[in-house]
Amino acid sequence: MDPLVALFFAVSPTVREDSVIFIFIKPSLRREDLHIDLLTKLAFWGSTDFSSFVKSFNEQLSEPLSEHNALTLATKPVFVDRHSIVDAGNLRMCAQSGTFAICSNVIEDGRIKEISGIESTESFLTIAIPFEYKAKLRRELSDRNYTPDKMFADDRSREFPRFEKAKGSLQSISEIVDSNINRKGLYSKYGAHIALNGLFTVGEITEYARRFAYSRAEDRVWLWFARDRVNALQHRNNLVLTADIMKKSFPSLDLLADESFLYHDGYVPISNYYSNPNNIRSGQKIPVSKKARYIKMSVTMTSSRITIKTNLFNDAKLFFSSDQIKALYSDEFVVHQGRADLDIRVPLELSKGNFLIVLTYPSTQTRAFLAKSGIQYENIDSPAFKRTGLFSLDCNNKVTT
């Protein structure tokens, strides 16, 4: 499967709302597999009597299925190997590199009750796509030739549809949560945190930032945009866009540009976590493998160094945290050939203390490490670790100096 095709469809809707991409890491079966054949025929069965279906289905088999085995297949969804589906005339399917998923069934007391969605029975990951960045993602996809006329190869006239109009203009519904003016020094400065109070693309927000800045009398304007008042009050956290606009030229300051816009590419609205607790909220979606490496870790400490010996894979990034013990140069250190060292400073008066060692989030790790550990650390495990809601692994330690 091509993940950029999924992203294409996630940014295609015209409504001003967020989207979600579901990621299933599952093997697929060929079209002629018995499991697929059973689910396909069951979908067109005209009765809720499961026993009669099994009897009819077994008439085509040289080795009939027991009702128990048939029930196991009927209640388990399956993905179809797209290479086993030959349909050269279906230009859309070929262009989209797609596959098919067949849902399972809820069967109780020998009766077929309902179809069960794949996301309700299978482990999955989700990626939230904020509306603010959909137009930007559309442009980037087009640059890579993921365009409507390619995805819908039988209709070359297609283009990305325009987003629906916003319910109000940015000027009318946004609000300044707080602001500051500084007229000291060589040039005057103005800063404000702004709540958008609506869904707008970063392009629309950028244009509004320019108009806002040039309506001010100050020479330099900083603007921090958040989706709503709650997020704006967090001051520089969960921001959609940051604007830095210099309206006058000051060569002596060696400014790189008159306008600077910081697009927060990792931005995901906090509201996503609360509105979709089952689908989007961070959590272990991929089960820990039965073949996961059992991680061992020993920690020794002197007044100037912490040394960890472990069988974690090479290049594992660890994070050190303590209210009592200070890391000298960096809180991060890396495992290499079964060892990781961190220079520290221990206060002379400290006799006992605690510290925390964290295997940092998968998003901060190298691809080489994730290839072995798994994208949610599903290939490593240990009683010494506590899996947090953000997929990090914590190891608490108590030390006596």
Side-chain angles (χ1 to χ4, degrees):
M1 291 294 293
D2 188 339
L4 292 182
V5 173
L7 181 59
F8 169 87
F9 285 103
V11 301
S12 292
T14 62
V15 292
R16 290 183 176 252
E17 62 183 18
D18 301 328
S19 297
V20 176
I21 294 176
F22 288 79
I23 302 174
F24 296 89
I25 303 176
K26 304 292 291 183
S28 57
L29 301 177
R30 293 188 62 80
R31 169 63 186 88
E32 59 272 16
D33 188 271
L34 178 66
H35 190 177
I36 293 175
D37 191 31
L38 182 143
L39 284 175
T40 302
K41 287 183 168 60
L42 184 57
F44 293 96
W45 184 245
S47 168
T48 61
D49 184 358
F50 185 65
S51 295
S52 63
F53 167 78
V54 175
K55 182 179 179 180
S56 174
F57 184 74
N58 277 333
E59 291 177 356
Q60 68 175 358
L61 302 179
S62 57
E63 296 183 9
L65 282 172
S66 68
E67 189 162 327
H68 173 77
N69 289 340
L71 180 65
T72 300
L73 296 179
T75 54
K76 184 178 181 181
V78 67
F79 291 89
V80 184
D81 181 355
R82 66 183 181 88
H83 298 293
S84 66
I85 302 174
V86 180
D87 188 359
N90 191 326
L91 300 180
R92 291 190 183 188
M93 189 176 73
C94 295
Q96 295 169 13
S97 302
T99 188
F100 294 91
I102 305 178
C103 296
S104 59
N105 303 268
V106 177
I107 301 174
E108 298 175 355
D109 300 325
R111 292 289 176 181
I112 305 168
K113 297 293 185 179
E114 60 185 0
I115 294 175
S116 180
I118 292 177
E119 69 278 6
S120 65
T121 58
E122 295 294 299
S123 299
F124 61 90
L125 297 175
T126 55
I127 299 176
I129 308 297
F131 171 78
E132 293 90 343
Y133 280 84
K134 285 188 177 181
K136 184 173 183 289
L137 288 169
R138 284 181 173 188
R139 292 192 297 271
E140 293 180 1
L141 286 168
S142 295
D143 290 343
R144 292 167 172 79
N145 199 29
Y146 288 83
T147 57
D149 62 341
K150 179 185 176 182
M151 293 297 103
F152 300 95
D154 55 349
D155 183 359
R156 294 292 183 179
S157 63
R158 283 184 179 247
E159 296 180 351
F160 275 118
R162 292 186 178 183
F163 295 116
E164 63 184 9
K165 289 186 177 181
K167 295 181 179 179
S169 67
L170 256 169
Q171 186 173 0
S172 64
I173 67 175
S174 63
E175 62 175 315
I176 299 173
V177 174
D178 61 43
S179 61
N180 180 267
I181 299 175
N182 186 343
R183 301 191 185 280
K184 298 179 181 180
L186 182 61
Y187 58 94
S188 56
K189 299 173 283 293
Y190 174 85
H193 292 90
I194 299 178
L196 297 168
N197 296 327
L199 294 179
F200 300 89
T201 68
V202 289
E204 293 168 335
I205 301 169
T206 299
E207 184 58 33
Y208 172 72
R210 290 193 179 101
R211 294 198 304 270
F212 185 101
Y214 284 96
S215 71
R216 300 289 312 180
E218 292 78 18
D219 301 314
R220 191 170 192 176
V221 176
W222 284 286
L223 301 173
W224 293 276
F225 290 95
R227 178 174 282 193
D228 51 40
R229 184 178 180 84
V230 173
N231 291 318
L233 287 170
Q234 294 183 24
H235 288 199
R236 307 193 187 190
N237 289 326
N238 201 38
L239 294 175
V240 179
L241 177 75
T242 300
D244 177 6
I245 298 176
M246 174 67 75
K247 294 190 290 181
K248 293 184 179 180
S249 177
F250 295 91
S252 60
L253 297 180
D254 193 27
L255 295 173
L256 297 178
D258 293 331
E259 294 182 351
S260 174
F261 297 97
L262 176 59
Y263 299 99
H264 299 271
D265 289 340
Y267 163 75
V268 175
I270 286 179
S271 59
N272 275 280
Y273 290 95
Y274 299 111
S275 300
N276 304 277
N278 296 323
N279 293 340
I280 303 178
R281 191 164 190 145
S282 298
Q284 186 74 26
K285 297 294 187 182
I286 301 179
V288 177
S289 171
K290 294 180 180 179
K291 297 181 180 180
R293 173 177 284 196
Y294 185 87
I295 300 300
K296 300 177 182 179
M297 181 179 290
S298 65
V299 182
T300 57
M301 174 180 162
T302 67
S303 60
S304 61
R305 174 169 291 188
I306 288 177
T307 297
I308 294 177
K309 293 185 178 179
T310 178
N311 63 336
L312 268 171
F313 301 112
N314 275 348
D315 301 322
K317 294 181 182 179
L318 304 175
F319 179 80
F320 171 83
S321 176
S322 175
D323 293 334
Q324 302 151 313
I325 305 167
K326 303 298 181 184
L328 279 184
Y329 307 110
S330 173
D331 293 323
E332 292 188 349
F333 53 127
V334 178
V335 173
H336 181 64
Q337 295 183 350
R339 178 175 175 143
D341 296 287
L342 180 72
D343 293 325
I344 59 172
R345 179 187 293 116
V346 180
L348 294 176
E349 66 276 11
L350 183 67
S351 59
K352 293 183 179 180
N354 298 318
F355 61 86
L356 180 70
I357 296 171
V358 178
L359 180 64
T360 57
Y361 307 147
S363 59
T364 69
Q365 302 286 354
T366 64
R367 289 185 179 181
F369 175 73
L370 292 179
K372 296 178 180 179
S373 68
I375 61 174
Q376 279 196 343
Y377 299 152
E378 65 272 16
N379 296 330
I380 56 177
D381 200 15
S382 171
F385 287 136
K386 174 185 176 184
R387 292 179 183 267
T388 71
L390 290 173
F391 319 132
S392 64
L393 297 178
D394 298 350
C395 180
N396 285 287
N397 292 270
K398 296 181 178 179
V399 296
T400 301
T401 60

